Amino acid sequence: MESPKYLWRSKPVKHRAYNSNFRQRDAEPTPLSIVPSQGWHGNDGPWSTFFVGIGTPPQYSHVLISTTAVQPWVVLPAGCTPEDPISCPQSRGGLFRPNASSTWQEQGLFTLQFEQNLGIYENGDFGLDSITLGLPGSAAPSLTRQIVAGVAAKEFYIPTWGIRPAATNLTDLNNHITDLVSNMKAERFIPSLSWGYTAGAYYQNQINKQGVGSLTFGGYDASRFVPHNITFPFAADTSRDLVVGLYSITTGETPTGLLPTPILSFIDAGVPHIWLPLDACQAFERAFNLTWNSTLNLYLMTDTAHEALISRNASLEFLIGSDLTDPTKSTVTINLPYSAFDLQLTTNYPNVTNMTRYFPLRRATNATQYTLGRTFLQQAYLIADYERSTFSVHQTIFPDSSTQDLRTIPPASANTPSTSLIPIPSPPPPRKFSPGTIAGITIAVLIILLMLFSGLYYLYRHKRKPNERASSPAFSPLGHKAELPAAEKAAVSELHGEEYPTPELANWQVERRKPELECRESSRELEGTVAEHELDTGQRGSIYEMQAG
């Protein structure tokens, strides 16, 4: 087996001290990023793996991530038989020999409780042993007496690291063994029971060499996904907590979509496939020219169908939400190119003698099997917060550099609401104007002010001329100065109140008694602006209250 690359923190915390067991700290814990192995393993596709060392001294294995399992599962020597190729130990990610570990404590043979809804029933040899998340001396956590399961069955071909924080009960509910993630928090290696994960994509790794998986405990890597502020609550079944409402699957070429009826689907990185109802699978068959193989229970693809999908630049769009109540609110779209489904079975896969191209879609027989597996997580970044029972799903980003942006998810005791944990796009910076633009604005303001003063001067002159004419007896048909009676002046002041005199009444008074009131009409229009201001204030108050609600 190749020499494993060690794990390290991408952002070392200053003034942090470790003892020989890396257990004591003098600073607040920060997110722990697990660096991928840079290797790609699997008999059903190339999957990005991580390193975990089990035992004393550590025996390292390439491991896949399971968001459902709660323990690390390693491959025992019985997993490679004399009939297997000599490369079996390497192709299975490495073997763990319990008798070669001085700290192994046997617990017995028990049933693996996960993936049984998908028809996978296997046993594991459970024990307690030390776990190292990296090579000794790498400043990475090493914890003792952690629960581990050894497997031989090829259903779990590559060792698996279960990252769901939940205790293991081997004999009874009163005798439970704390999981690795909870112990990492208790030992202050991470700040909270949370993680961010994306599976990585081999096809992307061939483009910019940044397609490997990403795993961060106690937070997430904000450089690996498109941010939004939509979170979903955990499902009531703690063993199937990461459930989303799958509203539609579209290709852009099929207006009706490939999912006839919305379903509730479980996100599970522990399996590679996407499990859908039969009618949805049949829609995929027609859209992508897939062929069902009843021996393998998989959809196979011919080279002709593969080349056609490549030339079409086919892609799939998954629309998900918290549940199935309302597809118009709080939904997220995840896009997967056809390359995410372009996988091959190796000769290590049961009943396969040649490299065989297949499409990772499975026929579900009931609703408990509806699953979005590792294929989906090639392009989806998953953030789970087990202290607040919320999670979010984001479109994955493959940056051109390996620079990380680690963000902490604080513990629930910090009283931080879950909605504040997911970053949202920052508002654009305030616009800065050039000196020329500022000069232009200044000139325009001066011109407007000049026009305003000119208008006021014109109104002032226009108001004086009728008053001068009113002083002449020949100008007034009534033989006295044209002036409003006190009662009519009061009527003008009522414009400031809530009741407004009708324009018809005002015109009738002007025609009947005072022709000179034409100049007063101008003053009445000016006073009307006060009423307009009062109306505008009331309208703005209503809008403010709606926003606050």
Side-chain angles (χ1 to χ4, degrees):
M1 178 180 176
E2 60 179 313
S3 176
K5 299 179 180 179
Y6 59 84
L7 313 178
W8 70 90
R9 285 183 178 275
S10 63
K11 291 186 177 181
V13 178
K14 296 181 179 180
H15 310 300
R16 173 171 296 167
Y18 298 84
N19 66 4
S20 59
N21 293 322
F22 306 103
R23 296 181 63 166
Q24 294 181 355
R25 300 187 170 197
D26 60 1
E28 288 299 319
T30 57
L32 174 66
S33 176
I34 307 299
V35 177
S37 69
Q38 305 297 326
W40 300 85
H41 294 75
N43 62 352
D44 49 15
W47 306 110
S48 181
T49 58
F50 299 84
F51 276 118
V52 169
I54 309 294
T56 306
Q59 301 176 47
Y60 285 91
S61 296
H62 290 268
V63 298
L64 298 174
I65 301 301
S66 172
T67 55
T68 305
V70 300
Q71 319 98 357
W73 299 349
V74 291
V75 178
L76 298 174
C80 289
T81 66
E83 291 76 21
D84 290 321
I86 193 173
S87 61
C88 177
Q90 288 74 28
S91 66
R92 297 204 64 173
L95 304 181
F96 172 69
R97 296 172 173 81
N99 57 2
S101 172
S102 62
T103 50
W104 173 261
Q105 300 178 33
E106 180 72 25
Q107 300 296 309
L109 192 66
F110 298 92
T111 301
L112 300 175
Q113 297 294 325
F114 308 102
E115 317 301 356
Q116 292 185 355
N117 62 304
L118 300 179
I120 302 176
Y121 297 89
E122 298 295 344
N123 296 325
D125 184 14
F126 283 78
L128 300 178
D129 211 335
S130 298
I131 295 181
T132 302
L133 304 179
L135 292 174
S138 65
S142 179
L143 298 93
T144 61
R145 291 182 55 79
Q146 302 301 305
I147 188 69
V148 180
V151 298
K154 290 183 170 59
E155 288 286 355
F156 302 107
Y157 193 75
I158 300 297
T160 299
W161 181 4
I163 61 174
R164 183 168 67 89
T168 298
N169 298 285
L170 296 179
T171 56
D172 58 72
L173 296 178
N174 296 321
N175 184 21
H176 65 272
I177 303 173
T178 307
D179 62 275
L180 177 60
V181 178
S182 297
N183 285 331
M184 289 168 64
K185 181 190 175 184
E187 300 281 353
R188 293 177 56 79
F189 288 118
I190 58 176
S192 62
L193 298 179
S194 60
W195 45 256
Y197 169 72
T198 185
Y202 180 78
Y203 55 87
Q204 185 66 37
N205 204 62
Q206 307 309 301
I207 299 175
N208 66 356
K209 298 184 290 186
Q210 299 298 326
V212 292
S214 174
L215 176 62
T216 302
F217 289 101
Y220 50 85
D221 184 357
S223 70
R224 293 301 304 268
F225 61 88
V226 178
H228 60 70
N229 59 356
I230 299 174
T231 59
F232 305 139
F234 279 2
D237 185 351
T238 57
S239 65
R240 293 174 55 84
D241 43 15
L242 306 177
V243 173
V244 296
L246 180 57
Y247 285 108
S248 64
I249 304 175
T250 56
T251 65
E253 303 172 348
T254 55
T256 57
L258 301 177
L259 185 66
T261 305
I263 61 174
L264 292 176
S265 185
F266 178 48
I267 300 178
D268 182 4
V271 294
H273 312 119
I274 294 176
W275 294 67
L276 296 176
L278 178 60
D279 55 356
C281 293
Q282 292 171 339
F284 272 82
E285 293 175 17
R286 295 187 292 269
F288 296 142
N289 193 21
L290 305 179
T291 302
W292 177 253
N293 185 292
S294 57
T295 301
L296 299 175
N297 286 325
L298 290 172
Y299 281 103
L300 304 184
M301 295 194 67
T302 64
D303 290 339
T304 302
H306 166 70
E307 294 298 333
L309 291 174
I310 291 292
S311 63
R312 286 162 49 185
N313 194 24
S315 64
L316 291 173
E317 184 177 278
F318 289 70
L319 180 65
I320 62 175
S322 177
D323 49 37
L324 302 179
T325 56
D326 186 358
T328 64
K329 68 175 184 179
S330 299
T331 56
V332 178
T333 299
I334 304 297
N335 292 288
L336 279 77
Y338 164 66
S339 300
F341 299 88
D342 180 18
L343 300 176
Q344 294 190 40
L345 303 174
T346 71
T347 55
N348 294 318
Y349 196 88
N351 301 316
V352 173
T353 56
N354 298 295
M355 295 288 290
T356 304
R357 197 181 303 278
Y358 84 106
F359 196 92
L361 176 67
R362 298 289 295 267
R363 294 176 174 179
T365 59
N366 56 67
T368 66
Q369 293 187 336
Y370 299 159
T371 304
L372 298 175
R374 196 180 308 121
T375 294
F376 177 75
L377 289 169
Q378 292 177 98
Q379 289 287 338
Y381 191 97
L382 185 59
I383 301 176
D385 180 359
Y386 288 85
E387 299 193 25
R388 298 170 181 83
S389 298
T390 60
F391 69 101
S392 60
V393 186
H394 305 255
Q395 183 73 48
T396 295
I397 292 176
F398 299 96
D400 292 331
S401 69
S402 58
T403 302
Q404 295 180 310
D405 184 8
L406 301 185
R407 308 288 182 88
T408 298
I409 296 180
S413 58
N415 296 322
T416 304
S418 59
T419 54
S420 68
L421 303 180
I422 309 303
I424 59 176
S426 301
R431 183 178 179 182
K432 297 182 179 180
F433 297 102
S434 64
T437 303
I438 295 175
I441 294 175
T442 303
I443 294 173
V445 171
L446 291 175
I447 293 174
I448 293 174
L449 290 175
L450 181 61
M451 294 176 63
L452 178 61
F453 287 133
S454 298
L456 292 175
Y457 178 75
Y458 171 78
L459 291 176
Y460 172 75
R461 295 289 299 170
H462 182 66
K463 179 177 180 181
R464 289 191 57 192
K465 288 181 180 181
N467 289 339
E468 293 173 356
R469 291 194 298 267
S471 63
S472 174
F475 186 73
S476 175
L478 299 178
H480 57 79
K481 183 183 288 188
E483 184 176 0
L484 280 175
E488 295 186 16
K489 289 183 180 179
V492 174
S493 67
E494 289 174 2
L495 287 174
H496 295 283
E498 297 180 355
E499 298 180 2
Y500 300 88
T502 61
E504 293 80 2
L505 178 58
N507 292 337
W508 176 83
Q509 291 173 337
V510 170
E511 294 174 2
R512 181 173 180 269
R513 301 184 60 185
K514 311 293 182 186
E516 295 82 3
L517 282 177
E518 182 179 352
C519 66
R520 295 286 184 179
E521 189 69 22
S522 298
S523 66
R524 180 176 301 178
E525 293 173 358
L526 289 173
E527 291 175 352
T529 61
V530 178
E532 181 181 354
H533 175 74
E534 292 177 13
L535 177 60
D536 184 69
T537 302
Q539 290 174 335
R540 291 181 182 271
S542 299
I543 294 174
Y544 176 80
E545 291 174 0
M546 290 178 66
Q547 290 176 346

